[in-house]
Amino acid sequence: RPELKDLTLCLQDTAVGDNFAIALGSSLRACDKLEKAQLGLYNTKITDVGGEPLARGLDRPELKDLTLCLQDTAVGDNFAIALGSSLRACDKLEKAQLGLYNTKITDVGGEPLARGL
């Protein structure tokens, strides 16, 4: 939906995994007017395989407000590196809340993520 400006998606504590995350990342890439995204995806089966394309999908030119909750998942450094890159490209980003505890992210991905903020 190219005209979508505000997305709230709560699928925490479910069995969604990488195929879902890849599809969501692809769908987000079509949302050129997205200004606000709240994604509650914690305690799911998402790993780096799906997390990386999901993070790339957050590279939205109009994004101002992002809440991304992926704690208690197996996302790791590839996801974190991609997210850092996407955040750097969000020129209008004013607010970001990232729940990423209890994941597989190490300093390898954490450092590029931090640089993206």
Side-chain angles (χ1 to χ4, degrees):
R1 297 206 171 258
E3 68 279 357
L4 185 67
K5 290 185 177 186
D6 189 337
L7 172 65
T8 300
L9 181 62
C10 300
L11 285 170
Q12 61 270 13
D13 299 317
T14 66
V16 297
D18 292 327
N19 290 336
F20 165 79
I22 291 166
L24 179 57
S26 178
S27 293
L28 288 171
R29 299 218 42 92
C31 298
D32 292 332
K33 295 181 181 178
L34 189 65
E35 296 177 1
K36 182 177 181 180
Q38 295 177 301
L39 305 176
L41 302 172
Y42 57 88
N43 196 24
T44 61
K45 306 290 185 196
I46 299 172
T47 71
D48 253 4
V49 172
E52 185 177 356
L54 172 60
R56 279 189 303 229
L58 292 169
D59 175 0
R60 301 294 79 220
E62 299 297 320
L63 190 62
K64 295 178 184 177
D65 185 344
L66 173 65
T67 300
L68 179 62
C69 299
L70 275 166
Q71 61 267 24
D72 297 316
T73 66
V75 295
D77 292 329
N78 291 333
F79 159 79
I81 292 165
L83 182 58
S85 177
S86 287
L87 293 176
R88 266 192 312 279
C90 294
D91 294 332
K92 296 185 179 181
L93 192 64
E94 298 171 356
K95 180 180 176 185
Q97 293 180 286
L98 307 175
L100 301 174
Y101 57 87
N102 198 24
T103 63
K104 305 286 185 192
I105 299 171
T106 69
D107 281 349
V108 171
E111 186 178 336
L113 173 58
R115 277 192 245 117
L117 297 173

